[in-house]
Amino acid sequence: MRTPSLIDKAFQLKQTVLFGSLDLDLLLAIADKAATASFEAGETIFERDAEGSRMYLILKGQVQILGADKRHLAQLGAGDFFGDESVFNDKPRSYYAISRTDTQLLTLSRTHLMTIISECPSVALG
């Protein structure tokens, strides 16, 4: 998968509930802080009880969320995000995230997310 440009990242952020109300300048600043990550089908993105220092936004592909007993909880696709609860509550992950297809994600670290929220509190409301 090709690495998305800064504009591509900002456009993808604009399509989400979390960042959709923000203006382009702020989206570009957030996109600049976001890293990309790619996972092959079947690959584990994170396991239950792992440290939660990043949140994820799906650019392409599908991610399956599994509970502690590895039962299906949710299927997520492009535009969905996950992993945010551990970033905010500083607790280990409470579920597994598995890439169902080849998947490309944007990731934001806790540090970057907190900086974004301090600069634009409306993101926290999302």
Side-chain angles (χ1 to χ4, degrees), residues 114-126:
M114 294 306 172
T115 300
I116 291 162
I117 289 169
S118 70
E119 293 170 1
C120 184
S122 64
V123 171
L125 296 176

Side-chain angles (χ1 to χ4, degrees), residues 45-65:
I45 298 167
F46 59 75
E47 295 188 358
R48 182 177 184 272
D49 293 327
E51 177 190 348
S53 62
R54 295 193 153 297
M55 70 169 288
Y56 302 86
L57 169 70
I58 303 170
L59 295 177
K60 295 178 184 170
Q62 296 180 340
V63 173
Q64 184 175 24
I65 303 299

Side-chain angles (χ1 to χ4, degrees), residues 107-119:
T107 72
L108 280 169
S109 69
R110 174 182 287 122
T111 303
H112 285 137
L113 193 57
M114 294 306 172
T115 300
I116 291 162
I117 289 169
S118 70
E119 293 170 1

Side-chain angles (χ1 to χ4, degrees), residues 2-117:
R2 79 173 181 83
T3 303
S5 69
L6 188 63
I7 294 293
D8 291 337
K9 290 181 194 179
F11 178 73
Q12 291 293 332
L13 291 168
K14 184 70 173 171
Q15 304 306 308
T16 67
V17 172
L18 186 60
F19 299 109
S21 65
L22 303 180
D23 65 27
L24 183 59
D25 289 338
L26 191 51
L27 288 170
L28 287 168
I30 295 168
D32 191 46
K33 292 175 174 55
T36 57
S38 296
F39 294 87
E40 294 181 5
E43 195 172 350
T44 299
I45 298 167
F46 59 75
E47 295 188 358
R48 182 177 184 272
D49 293 327
E51 177 190 348
S53 62
R54 295 193 153 297
M55 70 169 288
Y56 302 86
L57 169 70
I58 303 170
L59 295 177
K60 295 178 184 170
Q62 296 180 340
V63 173
Q64 184 175 24
I65 303 299
L66 304 175
D69 56 1
K70 294 207 174 179
R71 284 192 186 161
H72 174 84
L73 295 178
Q75 174 106 2
L76 306 176
D80 291 327
F81 61 93
F82 61 97
D84 51 310
E85 68 290 325
S86 292
V87 170
F88 289 117
N89 68 21
D90 202 25
K91 292 184 179 177
R93 306 286 188 189
S94 61
Y95 55 88
Y96 299 86
I98 311 294
S99 180
R100 287 195 40 102
T101 62
D102 289 351
T103 303
Q104 188 172 38
L105 306 171
L106 279 183
T107 72
L108 280 169
S109 69
R110 174 182 287 122
T111 303
H112 285 137
L113 193 57
M114 294 306 172
T115 300
I116 291 162
I117 289 169

